[in-house]
Amino acid sequence: MTDSRHEETPPASALERTLEWVIVPLMLGLIALGCVSVLLRIVAGGEYALFWSEEVIRYGFIWLFWLCAPVLAWQGAMFTVDMMFDALPSALRKPVRMLVNLLVMGLTGVFTVQGWQMTEINIDQESSALGFPLAIIYAAIPFGCAAIFLVTAWRSWSMMAGTGSPGGKR
């Protein structure tokens, strides 16, 4: 017996497949680096510790989050409380979804602008262990927010054109 609320997941888009080829190796690489770093501290007593690994892992996960967030928005996995949305009368679902999308676009628009300003402010700042330009790390915020803005705008346009679901799912 199948759950009537279960929706068949459509095939991944080209964008999702492309980002998957970036996200999965990045995640596995960061996990592997963390494991090697810890093992070197334990086995070698810290003599061969990778002093730079904590920065790489921290900054890698920041970029990983901002690469994953637009994919989750594309899939309709963000910005919804399904139980509340499903409780709405069907006539209210589309207007409520559009309101939520407009709020998300407003918020991500502000975050894109402010994130870019923070990137510019920190353009000359470098990380302590690697001397890596922090502007590249800060750029993850406007990049991710702009991508979420574009995805939400696309989903809103599709919903208005009648080709998208007001439920937020693909």
Side-chain angles (χ1 to χ4, degrees), residues 108-118 142:
T108 55
V110 169
F111 284 174
T112 299
V113 171
Q114 293 297 313
W116 186 253
Q117 289 176 354
M118 286 303 298

Side-chain angles (χ1 to χ4, degrees), residues 16-165:
E16 289 173 286
R17 286 192 305 273
T18 302
L19 282 175
E20 205 173 87
W21 280 96
V22 173
I23 291 168
V24 171
L26 178 60
M27 171 80 104
L28 293 175
L30 293 172
I31 291 170
L33 179 60
C35 289
V36 168
S37 177
V38 169
L39 286 174
L40 281 175
R41 287 181 189 168
I42 292 170
V43 173
E47 190 173 328
Y48 298 105
L50 304 175
F51 66 92
W52 47 267
S53 66
E54 290 179 28
E55 276 189 5
V56 171
I57 292 167
R58 180 182 320 123
Y59 300 144
F61 273 114
I62 290 170
W63 264 99
L64 187 67
F65 170 83
W66 287 108
L67 287 171
C68 289
V71 174
L72 293 172
W74 179 261
Q75 294 174 346
M78 294 179 73
F79 315 121
T80 62
V81 180
D82 291 338
M83 199 165 104
M84 288 177 56
F85 188 77
D86 291 343
L88 289 173
S90 58
L92 285 179
R93 290 181 186 177
K94 191 172 184 177
V96 167
R97 173 60 55 211
M98 287 304 295
L99 176 63
V100 169
N101 285 356
L102 288 172
L103 291 171
V104 167
M105 288 167 50
L107 187 63
T108 55
V110 169
F111 284 174
T112 299
V113 171
Q114 293 297 313
W116 186 253
Q117 289 176 354
M118 286 303 298
T119 301
E120 289 178 327
I121 289 169
N122 291 293
I123 198 89
D124 295 326
Q125 194 176 20
E126 294 180 341
S127 66
S128 56
L130 293 172
F132 190 76
L134 288 181
I136 294 172
I137 306 308
Y138 282 104
I141 297 169
F143 171 84
C145 288
I148 292 169
F149 179 93
L150 293 173
V151 164
T152 306
W154 175 259
R155 291 178 61 80
S156 298
W157 179 260
S158 297
M159 190 172 48
M160 292 303 292
T163 58
S165 165

